[in-house]
Amino acid sequence: MIVVRVFLNGLIMAAELAAVLGIAYLGYTHPFLFAAGTAGLAVILGLRLEIARLRHELPFYFEGARAPRFILVPLVGGVEALMKGVLAGLAALFTFAGTDSDRLFWVAVVFAIVTYAGASILRGLSVSFRAEPWRWGFFRLSAPLGLAFSAGITALVGLGLMASPSVSDIGWRLVWELPERPSISQVSELFFQIKQAFDDFVVTLLSQVMSREWARVAAIVVSVNVLTGFVASIYATVIAAVVRAAEERLP
């Protein structure tokens, strides 16, 4: 039985890794499909989890029986789920936007590492403290994963694996390189460069009050890349929940 359990655990871990790699590969090869799928998944999870959260949260705001639960719970829960779905879709699209395949490959690597780390953290919390992967992952994991992803992108820039365009580079592209009717890919590439230029601007601004090295560290917190943490947390939540369900059914 022990040998069988070890073998099955190995299969589950391999499936977990394959799921993470498959998600990152989908974002790398089909960013728009990835963004649409992420938005839909966020809405589906949000409708279930936001309503469950509100049912426990309303007594904190209202006095017992006076709480208008039948009105507020589905209405507020549905609105929040839709808003988070839009946010997740846009964040997913910005994560894998662009036409530079080499850069997108490294972005996919960082995203896969962060997502796998998130799933592992949720699994550890579930095993050690009986934390609920669905709830903990959806509501509490996006911030740390966002910081981790932002730090990873900053590391790529520091290692020279990703260029950080200046405002003048973006202006040149807008005036001389972007056609009158740009394609979706060209627009997404421009958005990616604007996002990176914003991060570089934050570093330059913070460098006025601290060293450039510390400015880069501080800029990790306010980078647009932090929003990708919500995307990673959604997939980490689903993967961790499925893995824990499979592990609990082992003989």
Side-chain angles (χ1 to χ4, degrees), residues 115-237:
T115 303
Y116 185 80
S120 299
I121 291 171
L122 285 177
R123 181 180 175 277
L125 289 172
S126 178
V127 172
S128 301
F129 303 103
R130 303 304 297 173
E132 173 58 50
W134 292 109
R135 298 175 183 177
W136 189 272
F138 189 80
F139 293 113
R140 292 291 179 263
L141 201 61
S142 60
L145 293 190
L147 291 175
F149 182 81
S150 181
I153 296 300
T154 300
L156 291 180
V157 174
L159 293 172
L161 296 174
M162 179 183 296
S164 183
S166 64
V167 176
S168 60
D169 293 333
I170 296 175
W172 178 273
R173 176 177 290 271
L174 278 171
V175 175
W176 300 107
E177 297 183 9
L178 202 66
E180 184 178 351
R181 294 183 178 179
S183 65
I184 296 178
S185 297
Q186 290 171 323
V187 172
S188 66
E189 175 67 23
L190 181 63
F191 280 152
F192 190 95
Q193 292 193 9
I194 292 174
K195 181 183 70 172
Q196 291 302 109
F198 172 78
D199 292 345
D200 190 63
F201 171 75
V202 172
V203 172
T204 302
L205 190 64
L206 293 175
S207 298
Q208 306 302 314
V209 295
M210 61 181 71
S211 66
R212 191 166 183 84
E213 289 73 20
W214 282 109
R216 288 194 178 278
V217 175
I220 291 173
V221 180
V222 296
S223 172
V224 181
N225 291 311
V226 172
L227 295 177
T228 301
F230 184 48
V231 180
S233 70
I234 291 173
Y235 291 106
T237 296

Side-chain angles (χ1 to χ4, degrees), residues 8-18 116 123 243 247:
L8 292 177
N9 267 322
L11 285 180
I12 292 174
M13 294 177 63
E16 179 183 14
L17 181 59
Y116 185 80
R123 181 180 175 277
V243 167
E247 288 178 335

